Amino acid sequence: MKLSHSPTGEDMQQRDNGNPALNDHLLQQVLESTNIQAAWKQVRRNKGAAGIDGITILQFPEWIRPQWQTLEGKLRSDHYRPQPVKRVRIPKDDGSERLLGIPTVLDRVLQQSIVQVLSPLLDPTFSEHSHGFRPNRSAHDAVKQISQYCQQQRKIAVDIDLSKFFDRVNHDLLMTLLGRRIADKGLLQLIGRFLRCGIMDDDTLIPSRAGVPQGGPLSPLSYPILCSMSWIKNWKNGVTVLPAMPMT
């Protein structure tokens, strides 16, 4: 490794059927040297704390060089097991806490490499009305779209907060939706292991039965997948749904 409109349910179903599953060589793309290098550079730019192994961003290049060939072999042979994420609590203004799960630097690099391959393939299949956690889109775009609907004499806008969205993601649902798009079983298994890798809270290992820990590159991708591939299909009769951002 060298480091340096308004879709109805029918609309969405037609769109879904028109997109075959992605090819079964995606894991190979994920592990390509150029992709891994780009992932490392993004993780380095993002900075962030060490995971449970204590390896920092600064220490990572020297640590990974002698181990990468072995790790790559494990990844290709379906023997790699991500380490549990490190629980971090961030106080919120209302007195509650925002729970983060910090993966190791290595697992952040691997997650980022997966996102770099999947995002450009999956994003075109997402609803045009979905704005949250997507490239070149934001909640501001959702507000602009609502303003346009107001000019079209639509009179009601319903604001719904998705409280603790990332803490409550259903793993089976997410993996089922991904399985409709991804034919590469090796990549699906790796993503599943990231979801179920566990949470280390001080010295206690907590099983990951639901949720996508905030702190890793994969978690933001889960939001548009669930919004565009599942929820919007249940909205009919010309109701326009504008998924923007969940509350954390």
Side-chain angles (χ1 to χ4, degrees), residues 124-248:
T125 72
F126 296 156
S127 169
E128 285 301 310
H129 299 269
S130 175
H131 298 280
F133 299 102
R134 294 180 61 186
N136 304 312
R137 291 172 180 254
S138 70
H140 296 288
D141 297 304
V143 172
K144 291 178 181 178
Q145 202 162 42
I146 290 173
S147 178
Q148 293 172 0
Y149 291 144
C150 289
Q151 295 174 13
Q152 296 170 13
Q153 304 304 309
R154 300 192 184 190
K155 299 180 179 180
I156 299 175
V158 181
D159 181 11
I160 303 174
D161 291 339
L162 302 179
S163 177
K164 299 185 181 298
F165 171 85
F166 290 107
D167 296 336
R168 298 169 176 170
V169 169
N170 183 299
H171 291 171
D172 291 338
L173 174 59
L174 179 57
M175 293 305 300
T176 296
L177 294 173
L178 282 172
R180 294 175 183 173
R181 294 295 188 206
I182 301 173
D184 191 320
K185 294 182 179 179
L187 180 56
L188 287 171
Q189 289 173 342
L190 181 58
I191 293 173
R193 290 193 178 116
F194 276 120
L195 291 176
R196 300 185 296 269
C197 66
I199 302 166
M200 188 64 72
D201 192 349
D202 291 328
D203 296 325
T204 303
L205 179 59
I206 304 173
S208 303
R209 296 190 174 93
V212 182
Q214 295 180 77
L218 270 179
S219 59
L221 186 59
S222 67
Y223 181 74
I225 289 172
L226 288 167
C227 282
S228 291
M229 294 183 180
S230 179
W231 299 339
I232 293 177
K233 292 181 183 180
N234 297 321
W235 291 79
K236 300 182 179 182
N237 302 320
V239 175
T240 301
V241 184
L242 295 168
M245 293 284 186
M247 300 294 288
T248 56

Side-chain angles (χ1 to χ4, degrees), residues 42-51 55-58 102-103 105 108 215:
Q42 184 61 53
V43 169
R44 185 176 58 188
R45 282 193 295 268
N46 291 343
K47 301 179 181 179
I55 303 298
T56 66
I57 292 287
L58 291 176
I102 309 301
V105 177
R108 297 209 295 273

